[in-house]
């Protein structure tokens, strides 16, 4: 489901979207800061993808629906907080994309195949000796398979400083 943030867009959004996975990883902030800088310098905008994994509660469908409703509300609240940062950095509110999916990789495949305006996927590599992170590892191992689309993936070191990001972007 695509949902625009509550704020009105001041200028028309360009067709160049930088997609960032809005997760709870420590390196997410580096990916978001980099995407904001690139969007600002190219007159593009940021799209934030929040993936909601299915609730495993099989006994009562009403309880499962309530859990899913609460997860969606939580995702919207998290994205709204992130939107403040994106607006401060780019001057343009981000696009919110909330997807129910079994995995982030499946959600990415769906979103990227449905939206040709997404031009770059921005990921950040893990920090602190944890390895590159599961999604970066998966892409390195299995390749980038988004159906018929070819899409560049920018992997940002997760421990870049603001100054280093400003220099690169």
């Amino acid at each position: 489901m695509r949902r625009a943030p509550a704020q009105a867009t001041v200028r028309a959004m360009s067709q160049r979207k930088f997609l960032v996975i809005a997760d709870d990883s420590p390196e997410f902030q580096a990916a978001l800061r980099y995407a904001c800088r690139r969007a600002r310098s190219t007159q593009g905008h940021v799209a934030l993808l929040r993936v909601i994994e299915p609730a495993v509660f099989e006994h009562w469908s009403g309880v499962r629906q309530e859990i899913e409703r609460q997860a969606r509300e939580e995702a919207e609240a998290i994205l709204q907080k992130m939107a403040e940062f994106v607006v401060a950095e780019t001057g343009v509110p981000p696009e919110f994309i909330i997807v129910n999916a079994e995995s982030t990789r499946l959600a990415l495949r769906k979103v990227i195949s449905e939206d040709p305006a997404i031009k770059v996927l921005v990921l950040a590599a893990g920090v602190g000796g944890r390895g590159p992170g599961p999604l970066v590892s998966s892409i390195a191992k299995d390749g980038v398979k988004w159906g018929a689309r070819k899409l560049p993936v920018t992997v940002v070191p997760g421990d870049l400083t603001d100054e280093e990001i400003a220099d690169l972007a």
Side-chain angles (χ1 to χ4, degrees):
M1 173 184 150
R2 298 190 190 285
R3 184 170 182 261
Q7 303 102 338
T9 302
V10 177
R11 63 180 173 151
M13 291 185 188
S14 78
Q15 288 299 308
R16 172 178 278 220
K17 289 184 196 175
F18 293 85
L19 181 63
V20 181
I21 300 165
D23 61 14
D24 301 321
S25 68
E27 55 271 9
F28 161 71
Q29 289 299 321
L32 181 61
R33 288 192 319 263
Y34 181 85
C36 287
R37 290 288 185 132
R38 290 295 301 146
R40 183 174 63 195
S41 68
T42 63
Q43 283 76 48
H45 68 281
V46 174
L48 298 172
L49 170 63
R50 185 75 179 188
V51 179
I52 300 174
E53 294 186 9
V56 181
F57 199 90
E58 301 174 7
H59 299 291
W60 299 288
S61 67
V63 173
R64 186 183 70 243
Q65 289 172 346
E66 178 61 17
I67 290 169
E68 289 172 354
R69 184 191 65 74
Q70 288 176 358
R72 179 162 293 280
E73 285 180 3
E74 181 182 318
E76 290 173 0
I78 289 167
L79 291 176
Q80 196 61 48
K81 284 183 186 177
M82 293 172 191
E84 295 171 15
F85 175 80
V86 174
V87 169
E89 289 292 308
T90 68
V92 179
E95 177 180 348
F96 292 170
I97 305 169
I98 300 173
V99 176
N100 292 325
E102 294 289 326
S103 71
T104 301
R105 186 142 177 125
L106 290 174
L108 278 170
R109 181 173 291 156
K110 177 182 182 337
V111 169
I112 290 169
S113 67
E114 292 176 357
D115 190 348
I118 295 172
K119 302 299 184 193
V120 179
L121 171 61
V122 180
L123 302 174
V127 296
R130 296 185 344 227
L135 192 56
V136 173
S137 294
S138 172
I139 289 171
K141 179 182 174 192
D142 301 328
V144 183
K145 299 174 185 169
W146 314 119
R149 283 206 54 206
K150 294 180 181 177
L151 184 75
V153 177
T154 300
V155 180
V156 179
D159 56 356
L160 287 179
T161 66
D162 288 341
E163 293 78 25
E164 292 168 325
I165 289 173
D167 185 50
L168 291 172

